[in-house]
Amino acid sequence: MLSGLRGSLGGLVNAKYYAAKATQSLVFSSTELAVIETGTSVPFQLRYCPALAKKPQKDETTKASEDKTKKPDPFDNPDEALLIAEIPTENPTHLLVLNKYPVIPEHFILATKQNKKQTALLEPDDLEATYACLKGWEAGVDGARSRRLFAFFNSGDHSGASQPHRHVQFLPKEGMVEGLEDGKWEMLINMIEEEASSRSAGHTDLISHPGLPFVHYGQRLDSSTDADAAELYKIYSRLYSAAEGAVHHYIKSNPGALGLHPTDDGSNPISYNLAMTTSFMAICPRRREGAVLHRSDGSEIGFVALNGTVLAGTLMVKGEEEWETLKKDKPRFDEVLGAIGIPTDAIDSQMEQNKL
């Protein structure tokens, strides 16, 4: 998929990123960074980006009511200053383009050339291209250094998705750990992968982390060989089926708490985040995009939104009070994580009832 590129993927992204930054074709926003823990001692990155406060924020009701087709499509004839490559080089199906507003250096995106739905199922060539980028990145910059890449996909109104044109995003781990002490934080997807003995409720062939308050499923990839499109799609389909099943279980036991999305246009009935590395794929079904933080008197501090980077173990806030609150209050952070996904205890109890 990446054969024919003029140089390594890492080298191309690096060169394009710094050239675009120099000409102000992209806008990098710096963040303050802290590591916080859940009540079960799972570490998460918390980033504070005051620049986000300058942009108008919309709640879920407003976003759901908007006609997303009226928004400009950044992947339709993208800015040449941001375009990295078209892949494959012959009869390309996908674009590689820089994120115009990164908070992590070299944040880039894989988008379909044809405007396909973000809310429809990924196709085998989407997964093949994603995996090719992950493998290509680990080859290093012109073979000089080893690197690690995190891929994530947001789908549905509750997932943190911002564009209706299908795209997968990539964050270099090296950029995520910049400024952190060694050993203080690890990508959550890697921690889930390490939980080999923790099988998911109702899915003994899938892996989950027992310390997380939201339902998620993962499966290992064979990183010793290049996974082909058919195998990747088989794993993705298995994970998606488990995620959709968890949503249906939750709706059945909590009538009126969550609705399915319309499917008349080919969209999926659920919101979810998907994440990938070269060795693992994970999924998290969603019921909310985020949660509102409140003060002790009940007044509102602000809304904390999460997207697929939750599976990397990182989130970002735009307000100083949100930043200070989450740094100091573990129970409040656990509430946010518990609010965005399907509660694990809801699925565990449903599975127990099914055994009776």
Side-chain angles (χ1 to χ4, degrees):
M1 183 68 81
L2 298 185
S3 61
L5 290 182
R6 296 182 178 180
S8 70
L9 176 61
L12 291 172
V13 172
N14 180 272
K16 181 67 77 167
Y17 172 79
Y18 284 104
K21 188 178 180 183
T23 59
Q24 299 184 334
S25 297
L26 61 76
V27 181
F28 176 78
S29 297
S30 60
T31 60
E32 292 187 49
L33 177 61
V35 174
I36 59 177
E37 291 186 342
T38 66
T40 54
S41 300
V42 178
F44 273 74
Q45 286 187 359
L46 176 65
R47 292 182 178 271
Y48 169 41
C49 187
L52 291 180
K54 299 176 184 177
K55 297 180 182 180
Q57 301 293 310
K58 301 169 185 176
D59 60 26
E60 286 193 61
T61 303
T62 303
K63 281 191 281 190
S65 65
E66 287 184 335
D67 181 357
K68 293 185 178 180
T69 61
K70 294 180 181 178
K71 298 174 67 174
D73 183 353
F75 311 125
D76 179 20
N77 191 28
D79 185 345
E80 282 294 327
L82 302 178
L83 180 62
I84 301 163
E86 297 187 1
I87 59 170
T89 51
E90 291 188 16
N91 301 315
T93 55
H94 293 78
L95 305 171
L96 295 177
V97 61
L98 293 172
N99 185 326
K100 187 176 178 66
Y101 301 102
V103 297
I104 301 293
E106 301 181 42
H107 179 171
F108 71 99
I109 294 166
L110 169 78
T112 54
K113 283 203 69 174
Q114 181 183 346
N115 190 346
K116 297 184 178 182
K117 290 182 179 297
Q118 186 78 356
T119 51
L121 284 173
L122 289 169
E123 296 173 45
D125 65 343
D126 299 321
L127 295 163
E128 180 183 25
T130 299
Y131 188 79
C133 289
L134 293 168
K135 290 287 283 188
W137 192 266
E138 290 190 2
V141 180
D142 295 327
R145 56 191 172 116
S146 177
R147 290 159 55 111
R148 185 83 165 156
L149 198 61
F150 171 79
F152 67 101
F153 177 72
N154 308 315
S155 183
D157 290 342
H158 311 313
S159 70
S162 59
Q163 293 291 340
H165 186 144
R166 187 180 303 165
H167 64 287
V168 176
Q169 302 185 60
F170 297 92
L171 293 174
K173 183 183 177 184
E174 291 70 29
M176 286 191 276
V177 300
E178 188 174 327
L180 283 180
E181 297 176 22
D182 289 344
K184 197 170 183 180
W185 174 85
E186 180 54 78
M187 287 200 302
L188 182 60
I189 191 171
N190 293 345
M191 296 180 67
I192 297 170
E193 181 180 1
E194 291 169 1
E195 294 293 327
S197 60
S198 299
R199 300 298 175 178
S200 301
H203 300 281
T204 56
D205 57 330
L206 301 179
I207 300 169
S208 65
H209 193 294
L212 296 173
F214 52 82
V215 169
H216 58 286
Y217 304 106
Q219 186 167 331
R220 286 194 175 90
L221 308 178
D222 184 0
S223 58
S224 62
T225 58
D226 288 341
D228 61 25
E231 179 63 20
L232 291 168
Y233 189 74
K234 180 180 178 181
I235 294 171
Y236 164 65
S237 299
R238 179 74 183 94
L239 293 175
Y240 177 83
S241 177
E244 186 174 327
V247 172
H248 283 292
H249 278 303
Y250 180 76
I251 290 174
K252 182 178 179 181
S253 56
N254 298 271
L258 178 64
L260 297 174
H261 302 317
T263 58
D264 295 346
D265 64 351
S267 295
N268 298 314
I270 69 167
S271 292
Y272 68 97
N273 301 122
L274 185 79
M276 276 181 68
T277 65
T278 52
S279 60
F280 202 69
M281 188 185 297
I283 198 167
C284 171
R286 296 288 294 270
R287 63 187 173 112
R288 294 191 186 100
E289 183 180 0
V292 176
L293 290 178
H294 293 93
R295 302 180 185 90
S296 57
D297 63 2
S299 60
E300 185 176 315
I301 297 173
F303 184 75
V304 179
L306 294 91
N307 61 17
T309 59
V310 67
L311 288 170
T314 183
L315 70 155
M316 187 163 56
V317 295
K318 63 189 175 90
E320 185 175 4
E321 192 172 357
E322 299 161 17
W323 161 253
E324 295 296 339
T325 298
L326 290 177
K327 282 197 299 180
K328 298 173 182 176
D329 196 334
K330 279 187 182 181
R332 201 81 65 91
F333 179 48
D334 285 342
E335 289 175 10
V336 170
L337 291 180
I340 64 165
I342 305 301
T344 52
D345 55 1
I347 299 301
D348 289 341
S349 61
Q350 182 69 40
M351 294 302 175
E352 287 301 318
Q353 291 178 25
N354 292 342
K355 294 177 182 178
L356 300 178

